Amino acid sequence: MKLNYLQSYLDLLSYQKYFRDFHKKNGKFPAPSYVLWDSTRRCNLRCLHCGASKESYDNELGTQQVKDLIDELASLKVKTFAATGGEPLLRTDLLEIMAYADAKGLSTGIATNGYFLDLAKAHLLKEAGIRSIQISIDGNQETHNHIRGNPESFSRALSAATFCRQAGIPLVTIASVVTTANLSILPELKQILLDNSLLHWKIIPLMPIGRAEKDGLQIDNRSLKILLSFITKAQKEMDILIGENLPYFGKWDAKVRKSVTYCPVGITACCIGVDGRVRGCPEMPDSAVFSEGRILEQSFNSIWQNGFGRYRDELLKKEDKDCHRCRWWRHCRGGCWVMRLNETHCIKSWKI
């Protein structure tokens, strides 16, 4: 086992102990280090695999409401505040809000499809203090444009990534959702990224939500083996991060990851929904089932302290008989709650 991978596992166990001990000693939980803001569900594209396609909202949080949230997060010493969507750049107040978060001492980032991001906008993002940007590219030009439903989406996304590098944004990451539509294209996409000096790549196996609930897009166990084998080789040429929705790959884990991964919901991270409802992560359906409270009705800290019990109390280990007796529990903590929606959360079922 790689030394840094083993150390990350020991660090994880240490933080879990710190989290429990902090609560016992102080009667409260330490603040999250990472808060995602689901800024809008409006989008200019209609992607085949979109997980944000089901919910619609009469109202989004207003500029001042988000600033009030940021004030509270800053007071709690939250480290990172990042905007996702939908397409965040459709919010005319995005730059103002992110600059405000930066001024309050939060590290900021956004996830975008890149369609509206030219060089001038990239410089404005840099001036607003954006530390990291994630741009979605799912294949070569033909495949990406097919998945995204727009003939200009690939060229605009690739240009956007270049503009962000030119503007000096510290971290530019390309994100790719892996489906049956693009698995075979990944080697070609890797070369495209290398040719454009885009060396940070987040690879995310498809999650069964939104439009992705339809049959035909989810990869199978044979495809997952192909993906992991590809990552093993590709990571020698670039920095590759795998999505948290499959937090443990058994014997493959130390081969494809530099550090141990687990679902951080309720421990170090959470998500603020479009209308202020708080849930674990942006991929979770924004429904009453996953809601922990709403910041328009109570403070964020109250929700953080009194919600998220299902994650902190290890409910899955108590209710799922397979998790209860699994020797890998400490590695995956029951897997991803969203992947459970179609029973693809457990690596044992993938038989890799």
Side-chain angles (χ1 to χ4, degrees):
M1 183 179 291
K2 299 176 184 177
L3 183 60
N4 56 349
Y5 180 89
L6 176 60
Q7 184 59 53
S8 73
Y9 178 63
L10 297 176
D11 290 343
L12 171 60
L13 295 180
S14 177
Y15 186 80
Q16 290 173 345
K17 183 178 185 302
Y18 163 78
F19 190 82
R20 294 190 298 268
D21 290 349
F22 186 97
H23 182 254
K24 289 179 182 178
K25 180 179 179 180
N26 300 286
K28 62 180 181 180
F29 295 102
S33 26
Y34 199 96
V35 173
L36 280 158
W37 170 40
D38 197 356
S39 60
T40 183
R41 285 298 167 96
R42 290 175 288 141
C43 190
N44 58 303
L45 301 179
R46 185 176 174 81
C47 305
L48 294 177
H49 59 263
C50 180
S53 63
K54 281 206 166 181
E55 294 91 18
S56 60
Y57 301 85
D58 294 327
N59 295 295
E60 299 173 350
L61 291 176
T63 306
Q64 190 56 51
Q65 290 171 324
V66 182
K67 287 183 176 181
D68 290 343
L69 168 67
I70 290 169
D71 287 340
E72 185 176 5
L73 298 182
S75 71
L76 295 171
K77 307 299 183 186
V78 170
K79 295 179 181 178
T80 301
F81 179 72
T84 183
E87 175 46 53
L89 291 176
L90 285 173
R91 281 195 67 127
T92 58
D93 60 356
L94 183 72
L95 286 169
E96 177 185 349
I97 287 172
M98 302 313 280
Y100 186 82
D102 177 66
K104 289 290 182 176
L106 295 166
S107 178
T108 58
I110 65 170
T112 173
N113 60 40
Y115 196 87
F116 301 111
L117 216 169
D118 56 17
L119 183 57
K121 181 61 70 69
H123 278 292
L124 289 174
L125 289 172
K126 177 65 165 59
E127 291 171 12
I130 296 295
R131 314 282 181 84
S132 66
I133 187 163
Q134 178 178 291
I135 298 172
S136 298
I137 301 180
D138 291 319
N140 59 16
Q141 180 168 304
E142 179 183 2
T143 301
H144 179 87
N145 288 347
H146 169 69
I147 290 172
R148 299 276 160 176
N150 185 293
E152 297 181 49
S153 57
F154 175 83
S155 60
R156 286 183 177 240
L158 189 58
S159 295
T162 300
F163 294 146
C164 288
R165 289 184 58 249
Q166 292 175 352
I169 293 175
L171 178 62
V172 180
T173 300
I174 302 302
S176 304
V177 175
V178 179
T179 70
T180 55
N182 67 350
L183 177 65
S184 64
I185 302 297
L186 293 183
E188 184 178 347
L189 176 55
K190 182 200 74 172
Q191 192 58 50
I192 291 171
L193 300 184
L194 289 173
D195 290 345
N196 287 274
S197 300
L198 299 169
L199 303 181
H200 302 283
W201 192 9
K202 185 172 185 179
I203 294 177
I204 311 157
L206 181 71
M207 303 185 80
I209 50 176
R211 296 191 192 106
E213 289 178 332
K214 65 179 67 174
D215 294 335
L217 290 174
Q218 184 77 55
I219 61 174
D220 58 17
N221 62 329
R222 178 177 173 275
S223 298
L224 183 59
K225 289 180 184 178
I226 293 172
L227 174 61
L228 295 176
S229 179
F230 166 76
I231 291 172
T232 300
K233 298 172 184 176
Q235 66 183 353
K236 297 174 183 177
E237 301 177 79
M238 59 201 308
D239 176 41
I240 295 181
L241 178 67
I242 308 174
E244 297 164 340
N245 56 316
L246 285 176
Y248 187 59
F249 291 113
K251 64 183 181 182
W252 286 88
D253 212 54
K255 297 178 182 179
V256 298
R257 285 189 165 118
K258 296 178 181 177
S259 60
V260 170
T261 299
Y262 77 105
C263 177
V265 166
I267 309 297
T268 60
C270 68
C271 175
I272 310 297
V274 173
D275 63 357
R277 192 153 54 179
V278 181
R279 63 190 192 277
C281 74
E283 285 73 27
M284 287 180 174
D286 191 2
S287 64
V289 174
F290 289 107
S291 176
E292 304 295 331
R294 194 164 180 241
I295 62 169
L296 300 183
E297 298 167 359
Q298 55 185 313
S299 69
F300 171 81
N301 190 47
S302 176
I303 296 170
W304 179 255
Q305 295 300 333
N306 298 304
F308 300 97
R310 68 189 100 179
Y311 313 104
R312 295 166 180 166
D313 296 340
E314 300 184 340
L315 184 64
L316 293 177
K317 189 175 184 182
K318 299 173 184 176
E319 295 190 346
D320 187 320
K321 64 180 185 300
D322 291 326
C323 287
H324 180 72
R325 61 189 180 216
C326 183
R327 63 188 176 93
W328 292 341
W329 166 262
R330 283 297 165 198
H331 293 273
C332 78
R333 291 170 56 87
C336 171
W337 287 70
V338 178
M339 298 295 278
R340 281 179 172 266
L341 296 176
N342 73 342
E343 298 298 319
T344 53
H345 60 283
C346 182
I347 201 62
K348 288 182 179 179
S349 67
W350 289 85
K351 298 178 180 178
I352 60 168

